[in-house]
Amino acid sequence: QKEVEQNSGPLSVPEGAIASLNCTYSDRGSQSFFWYRQYSGKSPELIMSIYSNGDKEDGRFTAQLNKASQYVSLLIRDSQPSDSATYLCAVTMYSGGGADGLTFGKGTHLIIQP
Amino acid sequence: ETGVTQTPRHLVMGMTNKKSLKCEQHLGHNAMYWYKQSAKKPLELMFVYSLEERVENNSVPSRFSPECPNSSHLFLHLHTLQPEDSALYLCASSQGITGVSDGEQYFGPGTRLTVT
């Protein structure tokens, strides 16, 4: 049984600070890792993907992967009130694509306080 | 139209009704997915289609019947549903060719289904 664990929160962060979101996964064979943002009443929106150990930066977002520890994280720098949402961690077995369903965590509810 | 579209956006149906959900992707992808999102539970994978062939059925009850007539369209046929099937049903697509794509999946807006 593949599992993805996230702290449900809410995680409250002051505006302008760094928000740190964490995720662990059970299947050591997982190869591809994704972060989605979901606003209330909306569908998930892909914000980051990461495939190899280390950091990947895209604007204010940094994804970090440690396969040995089976740990993925998302850092949001200079947090804005518009970043308030639920952040979903998702993993899949495939590397290099392929049609494989994603296994999701329950998500972390992030609140950015003005 | 751009991205992934789904219709209807909201659906209320009785337990004896038959209805269908439609998904269309305008991204040139060749893999499509159905997911279910219920309150307090993680997004659950239901079905995976690659090049119009079903490659995964995640132990979904037979009252849910998928159909993929081509790589751009995906349907979910519903019949004799139960109240616990009330949820947000999400369609996604990806470029599903191993070694070519990055596996990123893009979601449609979803259909909010209520079974009475």
Side-chain angles (χ1 to χ4, degrees), chain A residues 17-40:
Chain A
I18 296 175
S20 178
L21 304 162
N22 304 315
C23 168
T24 59
Y25 58 95
S26 63
D27 194 328
R28 191 168 287 279
S30 299
Q31 296 289 338
S32 301
F33 307 85
F34 306 93
W35 284 98
Y36 286 83
R37 177 176 63 198
Q38 187 172 27
Y39 292 114
S40 180

PDB file of all heavy atoms in Angstrom, chain A residues 17-40:
ATOM      1  N   ALA A  17       7.416  35.855   5.286  1.00  0.00           N
ATOM      2  CA  ALA A  17       8.272  34.810   5.857  1.00  0.00           C
ATOM      3  C   ALA A  17       8.356  33.626   4.902  1.00  0.00           C
ATOM      4  O   ALA A  17       7.733  33.588   3.842  1.00  0.00           O
ATOM      5  CB  ALA A  17       7.725  34.366   7.210  1.00  0.00           C
ATOM      6  N   ILE A  18       9.164  32.630   5.302  1.00  0.00           N
ATOM      7  CA  ILE A  18       9.288  31.402   4.506  1.00  0.00           C
ATOM      8  C   ILE A  18       8.328  30.346   5.057  1.00  0.00           C
ATOM      9  O   ILE A  18       8.325  30.057   6.250  1.00  0.00           O
ATOM     10  CB  ILE A  18      10.725  30.850   4.562  1.00  0.00           C
ATOM     11  CG1 ILE A  18      11.703  31.838   3.914  1.00  0.00           C
ATOM     12  CG2 ILE A  18      10.813  29.484   3.858  1.00  0.00           C
ATOM     13  CD1 ILE A  18      13.164  31.415   4.034  1.00  0.00           C
ATOM     14  N   ALA A  19       7.520  29.781   4.171  1.00  0.00           N
ATOM     15  CA  ALA A  19       6.639  28.677   4.544  1.00  0.00           C
ATOM     16  C   ALA A  19       7.327  27.376   4.157  1.00  0.00           C
ATOM     17  O   ALA A  19       7.827  27.245   3.036  1.00  0.00           O
ATOM     18  CB  ALA A  19       5.295  28.790   3.840  1.00  0.00           C
ATOM     19  N   SER A  20       7.357  26.413   5.074  1.00  0.00           N
ATOM     20  CA  SER A  20       8.005  25.129   4.839  1.00  0.00           C
ATOM     21  C   SER A  20       6.989  24.013   4.964  1.00  0.00           C
ATOM     22  O   SER A  20       6.381  23.828   6.018  1.00  0.00           O
ATOM     23  CB  SER A  20       9.143  24.930   5.842  1.00  0.00           C
ATOM     24  OG  SER A  20       9.754  23.672   5.649  1.00  0.00           O
ATOM     25  N   LEU A  21       6.791  23.269   3.877  1.00  0.00           N
ATOM     26  CA  LEU A  21       5.802  22.197   3.839  1.00  0.00           C
ATOM     27  C   LEU A  21       6.538  20.884   3.620  1.00  0.00           C
ATOM     28  O   LEU A  21       7.447  20.791   2.785  1.00  0.00           O
ATOM     29  CB  LEU A  21       4.813  22.443   2.697  1.00  0.00           C
ATOM     30  CG  LEU A  21       4.102  23.791   2.751  1.00  0.00           C
ATOM     31  CD1 LEU A  21       3.495  24.139   1.409  1.00  0.00           C
ATOM     32  CD2 LEU A  21       3.041  23.777   3.814  1.00  0.00           C
ATOM     33  N   ASN A  22       6.138  19.857   4.359  1.00  0.00           N
ATOM     34  CA  ASN A  22       6.865  18.593   4.338  1.00  0.00           C
ATOM     35  C   ASN A  22       5.968  17.426   3.935  1.00  0.00           C
ATOM     36  O   ASN A  22       4.741  17.456   4.150  1.00  0.00           O
ATOM     37  CB  ASN A  22       7.451  18.316   5.720  1.00  0.00           C
ATOM     38  CG  ASN A  22       8.324  19.456   6.194  1.00  0.00           C
ATOM     39  OD1 ASN A  22       9.143  19.966   5.432  1.00  0.00           O
ATOM     40  ND2 ASN A  22       8.144  19.867   7.434  1.00  0.00           N
ATOM     41  N   CYS A  23       6.615  16.387   3.421  1.00  0.00           N
ATOM     42  CA  CYS A  23       5.894  15.221   2.924  1.00  0.00           C
ATOM     43  C   CYS A  23       6.820  14.002   3.023  1.00  0.00           C
ATOM     44  O   CYS A  23       8.006  14.112   2.679  1.00  0.00           O
ATOM     45  CB  CYS A  23       5.483  15.492   1.472  1.00  0.00           C
ATOM     46  SG  CYS A  23       4.878  14.084   0.532  1.00  0.00           S
ATOM     47  N   THR A  24       6.301  12.889   3.494  1.00  0.00           N
ATOM     48  CA  THR A  24       7.054  11.636   3.463  1.00  0.00           C
ATOM     49  C   THR A  24       6.250  10.604   2.686  1.00  0.00           C
ATOM     50  O   THR A  24       5.014  10.681   2.624  1.00  0.00           O
ATOM     51  CB  THR A  24       7.342  11.100   4.884  1.00  0.00           C
ATOM     52  OG1 THR A  24       6.098  10.887   5.561  1.00  0.00           O
ATOM     53  CG2 THR A  24       8.199  12.060   5.676  1.00  0.00           C
ATOM     54  N   TYR A  25       6.960   9.653   2.077  1.00  0.00           N
ATOM     55  CA  TYR A  25       6.290   8.645   1.277  1.00  0.00           C
ATOM     56  C   TYR A  25       6.824   7.271   1.648  1.00  0.00           C
ATOM     57  O   TYR A  25       7.957   7.131   2.088  1.00  0.00           O
ATOM     58  CB  TYR A  25       6.454   8.926  -0.218  1.00  0.00           C
ATOM     59  CG  TYR A  25       7.889   8.994  -0.684  1.00  0.00           C
ATOM     60  CD1 TYR A  25       8.528   7.878  -1.218  1.00  0.00           C
ATOM     61  CD2 TYR A  25       8.602  10.184  -0.594  1.00  0.00           C
ATOM     62  CE1 TYR A  25       9.838   7.945  -1.641  1.00  0.00           C
ATOM     63  CE2 TYR A  25       9.920  10.258  -1.018  1.00  0.00           C
ATOM     64  CZ  TYR A  25      10.535   9.137  -1.536  1.00  0.00           C
ATOM     65  OH  TYR A  25      11.839   9.215  -1.950  1.00  0.00           O
ATOM     66  N   SER A  26       5.976   6.258   1.467  1.00  0.00           N
ATOM     67  CA  SER A  26       6.324   4.931   1.966  1.00  0.00           C
ATOM     68  C   SER A  26       7.011   4.051   0.931  1.00  0.00           C
ATOM     69  O   SER A  26       7.795   3.164   1.295  1.00  0.00           O
ATOM     70  CB  SER A  26       5.060   4.226   2.465  1.00  0.00           C
ATOM     71  OG  SER A  26       4.158   4.027   1.396  1.00  0.00           O
ATOM     72  N   ASP A  27       6.712   4.271  -0.365  1.00  0.00           N
ATOM     73  CA  ASP A  27       7.218   3.371  -1.394  1.00  0.00           C
ATOM     74  C   ASP A  27       8.603   3.821  -1.861  1.00  0.00           C
ATOM     75  O   ASP A  27       8.742   4.842  -2.533  1.00  0.00           O
ATOM     76  CB  ASP A  27       6.235   3.326  -2.567  1.00  0.00           C
ATOM     77  CG  ASP A  27       6.525   2.183  -3.508  1.00  0.00           C
ATOM     78  OD1 ASP A  27       7.715   1.794  -3.664  1.00  0.00           O
ATOM     79  OD2 ASP A  27       5.573   1.662  -4.102  1.00  0.00           O
ATOM     80  N   ARG A  28       9.624   3.045  -1.516  1.00  0.00           N
ATOM     81  CA  ARG A  28      10.994   3.425  -1.851  1.00  0.00           C
ATOM     82  C   ARG A  28      11.231   3.445  -3.360  1.00  0.00           C
ATOM     83  O   ARG A  28      12.184   4.049  -3.828  1.00  0.00           O
ATOM     84  CB  ARG A  28      11.955   2.448  -1.164  1.00  0.00           C
ATOM     85  CG  ARG A  28      13.411   2.860  -1.208  1.00  0.00           C
ATOM     86  CD  ARG A  28      14.259   2.020  -0.263  1.00  0.00           C
ATOM     87  NE  ARG A  28      14.046   2.354   1.132  1.00  0.00           N
ATOM     88  CZ  ARG A  28      14.610   3.377   1.748  1.00  0.00           C
ATOM     89  NH1 ARG A  28      15.441   4.171   1.094  1.00  0.00           N
ATOM     90  NH2 ARG A  28      14.370   3.619   3.011  1.00  0.00           N
ATOM     91  N   GLY A  29      10.360   2.788  -4.115  1.00  0.00           N
ATOM     92  CA  GLY A  29      10.487   2.776  -5.569  1.00  0.00           C
ATOM     93  C   GLY A  29       9.947   4.012  -6.257  1.00  0.00           C
ATOM     94  O   GLY A  29      10.022   4.128  -7.475  1.00  0.00           O
ATOM     95  N   SER A  30       9.388   4.943  -5.505  1.00  0.00           N
ATOM     96  CA  SER A  30       8.833   6.168  -6.096  1.00  0.00           C
ATOM     97  C   SER A  30       9.932   6.949  -6.798  1.00  0.00           C
ATOM     98  O   SER A  30      11.056   7.054  -6.298  1.00  0.00           O
ATOM     99  CB  SER A  30       8.183   7.034  -5.021  1.00  0.00           C
ATOM    100  OG  SER A  30       7.117   6.344  -4.406  1.00  0.00           O
ATOM    101  N   GLN A  31       9.578   7.498  -7.972  1.00  0.00           N
ATOM    102  CA  GLN A  31      10.590   8.142  -8.802  1.00  0.00           C
ATOM    103  C   GLN A  31      10.298   9.606  -9.099  1.00  0.00           C
ATOM    104  O   GLN A  31      11.216  10.365  -9.363  1.00  0.00           O
ATOM    105  CB  GLN A  31      10.684   7.389 -10.136  1.00  0.00           C
ATOM    106  CG  GLN A  31      11.165   5.969 -10.017  1.00  0.00           C
ATOM    107  CD  GLN A  31      12.636   5.888  -9.674  1.00  0.00           C
ATOM    108  OE1 GLN A  31      13.399   6.832  -9.909  1.00  0.00           O
ATOM    109  NE2 GLN A  31      13.051   4.770  -9.099  1.00  0.00           N
ATOM    110  N   SER A  32       9.033   9.961  -9.127  1.00  0.00           N
ATOM    111  CA  SER A  32       8.661  11.324  -9.532  1.00  0.00           C
ATOM    112  C   SER A  32       7.787  11.932  -8.441  1.00  0.00           C
ATOM    113  O   SER A  32       6.919  11.252  -7.894  1.00  0.00           O
ATOM    114  CB  SER A  32       7.906  11.309 -10.857  1.00  0.00           C
ATOM    115  OG  SER A  32       8.690  10.726 -11.873  1.00  0.00           O
ATOM    116  N   PHE A  33       8.011  13.233  -8.195  1.00  0.00           N
ATOM    117  CA  PHE A  33       7.377  13.879  -7.040  1.00  0.00           C
ATOM    118  C   PHE A  33       6.841  15.245  -7.465  1.00  0.00           C
ATOM    119  O   PHE A  33       7.503  15.974  -8.204  1.00  0.00           O
ATOM    120  CB  PHE A  33       8.408  14.041  -5.912  1.00  0.00           C
ATOM    121  CG  PHE A  33       9.079  12.741  -5.573  1.00  0.00           C
ATOM    122  CD1 PHE A  33      10.194  12.304  -6.283  1.00  0.00           C
ATOM    123  CD2 PHE A  33       8.566  11.926  -4.575  1.00  0.00           C
ATOM    124  CE1 PHE A  33      10.791  11.091  -6.003  1.00  0.00           C
ATOM    125  CE2 PHE A  33       9.160  10.711  -4.285  1.00  0.00           C
ATOM    126  CZ  PHE A  33      10.261  10.295  -4.999  1.00  0.00           C
ATOM    127  N   PHE A  34       5.640  15.550  -6.983  1.00  0.00           N
ATOM    128  CA  PHE A  34       4.960  16.760  -7.438  1.00  0.00           C
ATOM    129  C   PHE A  34       4.324  17.483  -6.254  1.00  0.00           C
ATOM    130  O   PHE A  34       3.880  16.864  -5.283  1.00  0.00           O
ATOM    131  CB  PHE A  34       3.863  16.395  -8.451  1.00  0.00           C
ATOM    132  CG  PHE A  34       4.369  15.559  -9.599  1.00  0.00           C
ATOM    133  CD1 PHE A  34       4.313  14.176  -9.541  1.00  0.00           C
ATOM    134  CD2 PHE A  34       4.899  16.156 -10.727  1.00  0.00           C
ATOM    135  CE1 PHE A  34       4.788  13.392 -10.585  1.00  0.00           C
ATOM    136  CE2 PHE A  34       5.380  15.389 -11.777  1.00  0.00           C
ATOM    137  CZ  PHE A  34       5.323  14.010 -11.696  1.00  0.00           C
ATOM    138  N   TRP A  35       4.273  18.791  -6.384  1.00  0.00           N
ATOM    139  CA  TRP A  35       3.510  19.623  -5.448  1.00  0.00           C
ATOM    140  C   TRP A  35       2.399  20.324  -6.218  1.00  0.00           C
ATOM    141  O   TRP A  35       2.641  20.939  -7.264  1.00  0.00           O
ATOM    142  CB  TRP A  35       4.403  20.665  -4.777  1.00  0.00           C
ATOM    143  CG  TRP A  35       5.270  20.107  -3.700  1.00  0.00           C
ATOM    144  CD1 TRP A  35       6.586  19.740  -3.799  1.00  0.00           C
ATOM    145  CD2 TRP A  35       4.880  19.830  -2.351  1.00  0.00           C
ATOM    146  NE1 TRP A  35       7.039  19.259  -2.596  1.00  0.00           N
ATOM    147  CE2 TRP A  35       6.013  19.311  -1.681  1.00  0.00           C
ATOM    148  CE3 TRP A  35       3.688  19.978  -1.623  1.00  0.00           C
ATOM    149  CZ2 TRP A  35       5.997  18.937  -0.336  1.00  0.00           C
ATOM    150  CZ3 TRP A  35       3.677  19.600  -0.293  1.00  0.00           C
ATOM    151  CH2 TRP A  35       4.815  19.086   0.338  1.00  0.00           C
ATOM    152  N   TYR A  36       1.191  20.210  -5.674  1.00  0.00           N
ATOM    153  CA  TYR A  36       0.028  20.886  -6.236  1.00  0.00           C
ATOM    154  C   TYR A  36      -0.513  21.863  -5.197  1.00  0.00           C
ATOM    155  O   TYR A  36      -0.455  21.612  -3.990  1.00  0.00           O
ATOM    156  CB  TYR A  36      -1.074  19.883  -6.583  1.00  0.00           C
ATOM    157  CG  TYR A  36      -0.802  19.054  -7.822  1.00  0.00           C
ATOM    158  CD1 TYR A  36      -0.014  17.901  -7.770  1.00  0.00           C
ATOM    159  CD2 TYR A  36      -1.357  19.408  -9.051  1.00  0.00           C
ATOM    160  CE1 TYR A  36       0.226  17.151  -8.902  1.00  0.00           C
ATOM    161  CE2 TYR A  36      -1.125  18.653 -10.188  1.00  0.00           C
ATOM    162  CZ  TYR A  36      -0.327  17.532 -10.097  1.00  0.00           C
ATOM    163  OH  TYR A  36      -0.087  16.787 -11.223  1.00  0.00           O
ATOM    164  N   ARG A  37      -1.075  22.941  -5.687  1.00  0.00           N
ATOM    165  CA  ARG A  37      -1.769  23.914  -4.839  1.00  0.00           C
ATOM    166  C   ARG A  37      -3.257  23.819  -5.161  1.00  0.00           C
ATOM    167  O   ARG A  37      -3.657  23.801  -6.321  1.00  0.00           O
ATOM    168  CB  ARG A  37      -1.255  25.326  -5.126  1.00  0.00           C
ATOM    169  CG  ARG A  37      -1.945  26.446  -4.369  1.00  0.00           C
ATOM    170  CD  ARG A  37      -1.272  27.778  -4.664  1.00  0.00           C
ATOM    171  NE  ARG A  37      -1.370  28.141  -6.058  1.00  0.00           N
ATOM    172  CZ  ARG A  37      -0.580  29.057  -6.645  1.00  0.00           C
ATOM    173  NH1 ARG A  37       0.359  29.669  -5.952  1.00  0.00           N
ATOM    174  NH2 ARG A  37      -0.748  29.344  -7.921  1.00  0.00           N
ATOM    175  N   GLN A  38      -4.077  23.802  -4.116  1.00  0.00           N
ATOM    176  CA  GLN A  38      -5.522  23.723  -4.316  1.00  0.00           C
ATOM    177  C   GLN A  38      -6.204  24.780  -3.456  1.00  0.00           C
ATOM    178  O   GLN A  38      -6.177  24.708  -2.223  1.00  0.00           O
ATOM    179  CB  GLN A  38      -6.060  22.328  -3.977  1.00  0.00           C
ATOM    180  CG  GLN A  38      -7.524  22.142  -4.330  1.00  0.00           C
ATOM    181  CD  GLN A  38      -7.996  20.705  -4.173  1.00  0.00           C
ATOM    182  OE1 GLN A  38      -7.453  19.945  -3.387  1.00  0.00           O
ATOM    183  NE2 GLN A  38      -9.041  20.330  -4.923  1.00  0.00           N
ATOM    184  N   TYR A  39      -6.827  25.726  -4.127  1.00  0.00           N
ATOM    185  CA  TYR A  39      -7.650  26.709  -3.429  1.00  0.00           C
ATOM    186  C   TYR A  39      -8.996  26.085  -3.138  1.00  0.00           C
ATOM    187  O   TYR A  39      -9.450  25.183  -3.853  1.00  0.00           O
ATOM    188  CB  TYR A  39      -7.821  27.964  -4.282  1.00  0.00           C
ATOM    189  CG  TYR A  39      -6.546  28.765  -4.477  1.00  0.00           C
ATOM    190  CD1 TYR A  39      -5.961  28.886  -5.744  1.00  0.00           C
ATOM    191  CD2 TYR A  39      -5.937  29.421  -3.420  1.00  0.00           C
ATOM    192  CE1 TYR A  39      -4.800  29.621  -5.939  1.00  0.00           C
ATOM    193  CE2 TYR A  39      -4.778  30.150  -3.594  1.00  0.00           C
ATOM    194  CZ  TYR A  39      -4.214  30.251  -4.852  1.00  0.00           C
ATOM    195  OH  TYR A  39      -3.058  30.978  -5.030  1.00  0.00           O
ATOM    196  N   SER A  40      -9.648  26.581  -2.098  1.00  0.00           N
ATOM    197  CA  SER A  40     -10.944  26.052  -1.679  1.00  0.00           C
ATOM    198  C   SER A  40     -11.944  26.102  -2.832  1.00  0.00           C
ATOM    199  O   SER A  40     -12.120  27.151  -3.470  1.00  0.00           O
ATOM    200  CB  SER A  40     -11.466  26.857  -0.491  1.00  0.00           C
ATOM    201  OG  SER A  40     -12.715  26.366  -0.069  1.00  0.00           O
TER     202      SER A  40
END
